[in-house]
Amino acid sequence: MQTNPTHTSLVAVGDSFTEGMSDLLPDGSYRGWADLLAGRMAAQTPGFRYANLAVRGKLIAQIVEEQVGVAAAMGADVITLVGGLNDTLRPKCDMGRVRALLEEAVETLAPACKQLVLMRSPGRQGPVLERFRPRMEELFACVDALAERHGAIVVDLYGAPSLGDPRLWDVDRLHLTAEGHRRVAEAVWQTLGYDPEDTEWRTPMPATLPPGWAARRAADMRFARRHLLPWIGRRLTGRSSGDGLPAKRPELLPYDEPSA
């Protein structure tokens, strides 16, 4: 891997994780790890360009259909691809089809850029992770194999102890907090060969006293009412949180720092 490389452009492909939920800015938009990474890369290279095609809720088939061809045509130095995890969380998931679509995406994107970046996505410790862990690990085994075959690099977020900590996850239990996204940006930054800015991003947060029983139950009730029940409703009606939403940053343009 090149040390302190020079990249002139970045295109991010994926779902809500890459869109940046739940790293909320004051104007109501989301920042996220990809924006943070682009900002760092832009500071190294004047005229750096950035596009983010991610849309929340997208399944791997939608990512392939709506984003992969567009990303490949942009001719960026670096493309990041994270997808398939939403599929693994569905009750009925054809993992063979997920693997095939992920392979199609990688075969299209790898020749279209100087460096393709894949990821083993993080998972919040808890019963949901344990339930879907076999599917997730099957997906990650596919990611590793594709990376080796096509010269991509893999950012191992799944194996980072810090990112499993529930304190780095938003109240919806599906998306990382701002601190979680910062650590992901650092992980990708280092995997691309840049000098570390935080050598401890994998290190777990200091231990604190866990919340009491009453506080945990109240949090569970809020989560079910605000997030779980609406999610179930969308599944039952065939809707997605990303329906009708445009790509976050659809054109490969010079990077502009968002408002803090």
Side-chain angles (χ1 to χ4, degrees):
M1 185 184 301
Q2 182 181 356
T3 302
N4 289 325
T6 300
H7 296 119
T8 64
S9 51
L10 166 69
V11 176
V13 174
D15 51 33
S16 59
F17 174 67
T18 301
E19 184 184 344
M21 296 174 72
S22 293
D23 185 5
L24 193 64
L25 292 172
D27 66 0
S29 64
Y30 293 109
R31 183 176 51 181
W33 66 265
D35 284 13
L36 292 169
L37 177 66
R40 288 193 189 186
M41 296 171 78
Q44 299 272 332
T45 307
F48 183 85
R49 296 176 299 151
Y50 170 52
N52 190 325
L53 306 181
V55 178
R56 67 196 70 171
K58 293 300 182 181
L59 302 174
I60 187 63
Q62 295 169 308
I63 292 172
V64 170
E65 179 180 355
E66 300 167 11
Q67 300 179 34
V68 167
V70 177
M74 289 180 171
D77 283 356
V78 178
I79 298 177
T80 65
L81 168 65
V82 188
L85 201 61
N86 282 334
D87 297 80
T88 69
L89 299 177
R90 299 296 177 100
K92 296 181 179 179
C93 173
D94 182 347
M95 287 303 298
R97 184 167 184 266
V98 171
R99 292 194 306 271
L101 287 165
L102 187 60
E103 181 173 9
E104 179 182 341
V106 170
E107 288 178 345
T108 301
L109 294 174
C113 63
K114 293 182 179 179
Q115 184 61 71
L116 178 62
V117 179
L118 307 176
M119 297 189 200
R120 293 161 57 93
S121 304
R124 180 185 184 275
Q125 295 298 327
V128 174
L129 175 61
E130 294 309 313
R131 178 180 178 184
F132 294 103
R133 188 186 295 274
R135 288 182 183 174
M136 292 172 62
E137 293 186 348
E138 182 178 349
L139 178 69
F140 299 154
C142 179
V143 166
D144 290 343
L146 289 171
E148 183 175 0
R149 194 182 313 152
H150 294 278
I153 57 176
V154 178
V155 184
D156 185 13
L157 306 173
Y158 180 71
S162 62
L163 293 176
D165 190 324
R167 291 173 294 176
L168 287 181
W169 293 75
D170 192 48
V171 293
D172 67 2
R173 306 182 183 182
L174 287 174
H175 302 106
L176 291 168
T177 62
E179 173 60 15
H181 279 282
R182 185 197 69 78
R183 293 187 184 220
V184 172
E186 179 68 31
V188 184
W189 173 261
Q190 292 184 26
T191 306
L192 281 168
Y194 293 98
D195 286 339
E197 296 186 12
D198 175 12
T199 58
E200 302 298 320
W201 72 268
R202 290 177 172 270
T203 303
M205 297 172 64
T208 58
L209 289 175
W213 182 89
R216 294 198 306 272
R217 297 292 78 76
D220 288 343
M221 292 294 291
R222 287 194 298 271
F223 162 70
R225 183 174 63 253
R226 298 177 185 175
H227 302 287
L228 181 59
L229 292 177
W231 183 86
I232 292 173
R234 290 194 297 272
R235 299 291 78 73
L236 292 175
T237 56
R239 294 178 293 117
S240 167
S241 57
D243 287 348
L245 294 181
K248 179 177 183 178
R249 186 183 172 98
E251 297 182 73
L252 188 60
L253 297 173
Y255 175 83
D256 295 316
E257 185 73 33
S259 301

